[in-house]
Amino acid sequence: MASVFPLAELRRSSDPFSWVDSIIKGDCVAALEALPDKSVDVIFADPPYNLQLGGALHRPDQSLVDACDDEWDQFASFEAYDAFTRAWLLACRRVLKPTGTIWVIGSYHNIFRVGATLQDLNFWILNDIVWRKTNPMPNFKGRRFQNAHETMIWASPDPKAKGYTFNYDALKASNDDVQMRSDWLFPICSGGERLKGDDGKKVHPTQKPEALLARVIMASTKPGDIVLDPFFGSGTTGAVAKRLGRHFVGIEREQDYIDAASARIAGVTPLGKTELTVLTGKKAEPRVAFTTLLESGLVKPGQVLTCARRRHSAVVRADGTLASGSEAGSIHRLGAKVQGVDACNGWTFWHVDDGHSLRPIDEFRAVIRSGLAKLD
Amino acid sequence: MASVFPLAELRRSSDPFSWVDSIIKGDCVAALEALPDKSVDVIFADPPYNLQLGGALHRPDQSLVDACDDEWDQFASFEAYDAFTRAWLLACRRVLKPTGTIWVIGSYHNIFRVGATLQDLNFWILNDIVWRKTNPMPNFKGRRFQNAHETMIWASPDPKAKGYTFNYDALKASNDDVQMRSDWLFPICSGGERLKGDDGKKVHPTQKPEALLARVIMASTKPGDIVLDPFFGSGTTGAVAKRLGRHFVGIEREQDYIDAASARIAGVTPLGKTELTVLTGKKAEPRVAFTTLLESGLVKPGQVLTCARRRHSAVVRADGTLASGSEAGSIHRLGAKVQGVDACNGWTFWHVDDGHSLRPIDEFRAVIRSGLAKLD
DNA sequence: TAGCTGTCTGAATCCCGGA
DNA sequence: GTCCGGGATTCAGACAGCT
């Protein structure tokens, strides 16, 4: 069983990371406040969207539209929901690493309020993702369109945050080599995946499909990262995180959900290291300086490089720069200059003529890298 | 030409419906305030999105993306945007019939604020509709998911409003006899439909496709209804309304847009009664990604795939890529690599051994398409 | 003519490490 | 924190021009 931490016990713990891979029993905001600053990599939140919240309802502090003054209860509910949303999002922001990101899922009942609150709190929306359901519940009365999707918001904790994890290359490779879009298609959680009690009834009313969480986690975390779910419910986030070699921490108030989630996670076997390796692109490969090509003799001073169409040419100089007419500079700068553009990847722009064909100097870089690879 | 009303002239008019089938030139809120109470059946609004773009964005080929950086899309703050949204929505509420409905389109930049404001003003959300674009602009830097959709909110002016128009049966009949879902697939507006000036440049930066408006109007209006568009722009709403036998009224500030819209609408011939019944059906077979096979459980991480002759093999990784020795990549790339060729169709190259025979993974794709997966 | 190739473009909040 | 510079990064569709 995944370990369960009563909140009071967690507060007494001397180990600042005792909560990793466990379920904290308690109120969402109180539990978040017991965790260290900047300690989790990704948050996945599936907050309640029932507007009839348990707590006291507050009168709106600003007077609202005159046309709607008879709808007092309705407005009071929105106010209370907004206050709740603000509170848990603020608590999430503190425990999230600056390089982390947060996902929130909801429907049209609540997602607009969540999105606006995220923006008000200076989170920076990266995408809104549409989960298209293959098998949504029909609209029985024929008075609306079939509500066939839910919406997730993916955001970083600051507009300037740049270092968040996004496994772009792996997602693209797994998607027929085209980049992953913002609309995802998955079945709802049913069948064997759906947790059921001894009475045969579903344990949790809104259990999310593991496939959805798997894509979220594969997209925005690395193996070993910590994924927090402040509304843990039946523990889908924890089960998928464990299976995918990530750490998790869940917060949940209801003992029944905790019991079900704990048993569920205990039954999950993590995948092995090979299966969990994430495909990375060129950005992750080691830098190779152009001078290394000269030092290794793959390219020689005085040699002429051209672009793929032989429209532009340049001479290699001994210091690792190129010269063309009166211009000179790095392979990138000179490539940009001769084309009259701002930027250029010199590795793919410049070619050598081997007698038969033009070959990009990027191939030499690959040779260097494979040599480096053999060294370790 | 569709008639154009300077706002001052409209105010002097003795005919309370002189503005029907015309474009009112002026500020959105001021113009709305010059219209009678409860006089329009449906409102379609495409307000500024408040994009908050940073610097220039270049495509990988160094060409510059023509960003929407118009003055009308700039707001000083979220508070300013909210105040603007509140003002025009309140003005819309007054002119809308109690049996009418309002549509608002937006992206993640603004739609959450619009949705929350609609709820604050006691509008009642009926659906959020996702417009999935067949041909969205890519994410050029590989730092996010491709932003491939926009969101529309469909709402009635009061939670208790019941008499709004929803042509459920017509939509269902036009949709292969299944009820219309909340996710719609349409191409962006381009080609001959896109209005261009004498200079060949697009007249309006954000012209919407007529097919989108056609579905909106066919779903939520009856022939002869009045459709109001408070941000008329290039007049798509007016053109489609006229073609579909509905009345329109547009509000627009910029003379250039008014001129283009007016000429455009003048060229539209309304359809006859019989033609007004039919519209669009489904789109082509969806692409199935390899990651879908993993997500559905048809293929599992760690599973071994081989080519038809078992000469090559590879291991499935959790991120939806394959690995073979030190090589890894998409099913297509790795298939090409192990064979030492440029390209390979991974779907037909890679096979699984089911104990009796080797079966191409393409068969699983067919299973996904038929909807048989995930039924357990 | 049909097909092929190259070019252009679309509501976009679009890099990152080291000095 | 800023500045600098290496060098990584795109999908679908319309259209023009050519064979």
Side-chain angles (χ1 to χ4, degrees), chain B residues 243-260:
Chain B
R243 180 161 59 82
L244 296 178
R246 275 72 171 170
H247 297 290
F248 71 90
V249 54
I251 301 170
E252 178 54 53
R253 288 189 307 191
E254 312 251 347
Q255 190 63 46
D256 288 350
Y257 297 159
I258 291 175
D259 293 342

Side-chain angles (χ1 to χ4, degrees), chain A residues 154-169:
Chain A
W154 183 40
S156 65
D158 189 279
K160 295 181 295 297
K162 297 290 182 192
Y164 60 86
T165 296
F166 180 55
N167 297 317
Y168 175 81
D169 297 290

Side-chain angles (χ1 to χ4, degrees), chain A residues 356-368:
Chain A
H356 307 286
S357 61
L358 288 179
R359 305 169 61 136
I361 58 174
D362 204 29
E363 290 187 8
F364 295 130
R365 185 167 61 158
V367 172
I368 299 283

Side-chain angles (χ1 to χ4, degrees), chain B residues 52 59 108 140-141 143-144 194 202:
Chain B
Q52 306 177 245
R59 298 184 183 81
Y108 66 83
F140 295 116
K141 307 290 188 186
R143 294 299 295 144
R144 304 178 176 200
R194 188 88 195 209
K202 56 192 177 194

Side-chain angles (χ1 to χ4, degrees), chain B residues 60-364:
Chain B
D61 65 2
Q62 301 301 322
S63 64
L64 180 65
V65 174
D66 184 15
C68 177
D69 51 5
D70 301 64
E71 171 273 329
W72 50 255
D73 198 50
Q74 312 296 324
F75 291 83
S77 61
F78 285 132
E79 290 72 25
Y81 188 81
D82 292 345
F84 162 77
T85 302
R86 233 182 132 75
W88 72 259
L89 281 176
L90 271 175
C92 280
R93 158 193 287 293
R94 189 187 56 79
V95 303
L96 194 58
K97 292 183 187 172
T99 57
T101 52
I102 182 170
W103 296 78
V104 189
I105 186 167
S107 65
Y108 66 83
H109 309 84
N110 70 322
I111 199 65
F112 303 117
R113 314 204 74 86
V114 169
T117 304
L118 277 165
Q119 291 179 315
D120 290 343
L121 297 181
N122 206 35
F123 283 89
W124 191 246
I125 298 179
L126 299 168
N127 280 110
D128 58 335
I129 298 289
V130 175
W131 167 29
R132 303 174 51 223
K133 303 179 183 184
T134 59
N135 49 351
M137 190 186 295
N139 181 289
F140 295 116
K141 307 290 188 186
R143 294 299 295 144
R144 304 178 176 200
F145 297 92
Q146 182 183 30
N147 188 11
H149 72 275
E150 295 189 23
T151 301
M152 291 186 291
I153 300 175
W154 182 41
S156 66
D158 189 278
K160 295 182 296 295
K162 297 292 178 197
Y164 60 87
T165 296
F166 179 57
N167 299 315
Y168 175 82
D169 294 309
L171 284 163
K172 184 173 175 181
S174 74
N175 191 40
D176 285 0
D177 285 323
V178 295
Q179 57 182 216
M180 190 68 80
R181 297 167 45 110
S182 55
D183 52 335
W184 302 356
L185 184 67
F186 291 111
I188 60 175
C189 180
S190 68
E193 187 184 321
R194 188 88 195 209
L195 297 190
K196 285 172 186 138
D198 297 333
D199 55 2
K201 289 182 180 171
K202 56 192 177 194
V203 167
H204 194 280
T206 72
Q207 186 180 340
K208 295 295 178 289
E210 295 199 359
L212 185 75
L213 267 293
R215 186 171 292 174
V216 163
I217 289 174
M218 289 304 288
S220 58
T221 69
K222 297 183 176 72
D225 278 1
I226 301 178
V227 182
L228 179 147
D229 186 335
F231 306 97
F232 205 54
S234 56
T236 307
T237 303
V240 176
K242 181 177 176 187
R243 180 161 59 82
L244 296 178
R246 275 72 171 170
H247 297 290
F248 71 90
V249 54
I251 301 170
E252 178 54 53
R253 288 189 307 191
E254 312 251 347
Q255 190 63 46
D256 288 350
Y257 297 159
I258 291 175
D259 293 342
S262 179
R264 174 187 188 183
I265 293 166
V268 171
T269 309
L271 292 172
K273 256 191 177 173
T274 32
E275 297 140 299
L276 286 182
T277 50
V278 192
L279 266 185
T280 63
K282 271 189 177 173
K283 250 270 182 176
E285 191 84 339
R287 178 203 306 272
V288 175
F290 183 65
T291 190
T292 308
L293 270 55
L294 276 121
E295 288 155 348
S296 69
L298 287 169
V299 170
K300 292 186 168 46
Q303 191 168 348
V304 175
L305 306 183
T306 68
C307 71
R309 297 181 182 178
R310 299 182 202 266
R311 286 186 190 166
H312 305 288
S313 69
V315 177
V316 177
R317 302 197 297 193
D319 66 354
T321 60
L322 301 186
S324 178
S326 62
E327 305 279 14
S330 70
I331 55 171
H332 312 298
R333 295 259 180 256
L334 194 72
K337 261 186 202 164
V338 298
Q339 295 178 91
V341 295
D342 281 345
C344 163
N345 182 346
W347 289 110
T348 52
F349 179 73
W350 294 110
H351 294 63
V352 294
D353 190 338
D354 68 356
H356 309 284
S357 61
L358 287 179
R359 305 167 59 146
I361 57 174
D362 201 31
E363 287 188 11
F364 293 131

Side-chain angles (χ1 to χ4, degrees), chain A residues 112-346:
Chain A
F112 303 118
R113 313 205 74 83
V114 169
T117 304
L118 277 166
Q119 291 179 314
D120 290 343
L121 297 182
N122 206 36
F123 283 89
W124 193 242
I125 298 179
L126 299 169
N127 280 110
D128 59 334
I129 299 289
V130 174
W131 167 29
R132 303 175 51 226
K133 305 178 184 183
T134 57
N135 47 351
M137 186 184 299
N139 181 286
F140 293 110
K141 295 186 177 173
R143 294 298 295 144
R144 303 178 181 201
F145 297 92
Q146 182 183 30
N147 189 14
H149 73 276
E150 293 188 26
T151 301
M152 291 186 289
I153 300 174
W154 183 40
S156 65
D158 189 279
K160 295 181 295 297
K162 297 290 182 192
Y164 60 86
T165 296
F166 180 55
N167 297 317
Y168 175 81
D169 297 290
L171 285 162
K172 180 174 171 176
S174 74
N175 192 39
D176 269 14
D177 290 320
V178 293
Q179 57 181 215
M180 191 68 80
R181 296 169 44 114
S182 56
D183 52 336
W184 303 356
L185 183 67
F186 291 111
I188 61 175
C189 181
S190 64
E193 187 184 319
R194 188 85 197 216
L195 296 189
K196 285 171 187 138
D198 297 333
D199 53 2
K201 289 182 182 170
K202 54 194 178 192
V203 167
H204 193 277
T206 66
Q207 185 180 341
K208 295 293 177 288
E210 295 199 0
L212 185 75
L213 267 294
R215 187 173 292 175
V216 163
I217 289 174
M218 289 305 295
S220 59
T221 68
K222 298 183 177 76
D225 278 1
I226 301 178
V227 183
L228 180 147
D229 186 335
F231 306 98
F232 205 55
S234 56
T236 307
T237 303
V240 176
K242 181 177 177 187
R243 180 162 59 82
L244 295 178
R246 275 73 170 170
H247 298 289
F248 71 91
V249 54
I251 302 171
E252 179 54 53
R253 288 189 307 192
E254 310 262 342
Q255 190 63 46
D256 287 351
Y257 296 159
I258 292 175
D259 293 342
S262 179
R264 174 186 187 184
I265 293 167
V268 171
T269 308
L271 292 168
K273 202 181 171 191
T274 329
E275 294 99 309
L276 288 177
T277 307
V278 176
L279 184 80
T280 55
K282 280 187 169 183
K283 279 179 182 167
E285 290 183 35
R287 289 281 173 94
V288 174
F290 184 64
T291 50
T292 311
L293 269 56
L294 282 157
E295 289 155 359
S296 66
L298 289 168
V299 171
K300 292 186 167 47
Q303 192 168 350
V304 175
L305 306 183
T306 69
C307 73
R309 297 183 182 178
R310 299 183 202 265
R311 284 185 191 165
H312 306 288
S313 67
V315 177
V316 177
R317 302 200 294 195
D319 64 355
T321 60
L322 301 187
S324 178
S326 61
E327 304 279 15
S330 71
I331 55 171
H332 312 296
R333 292 284 160 227
L334 193 71
K337 262 184 200 164
V338 298
Q339 293 178 93
V341 294
D342 282 345
C344 166
N345 182 343

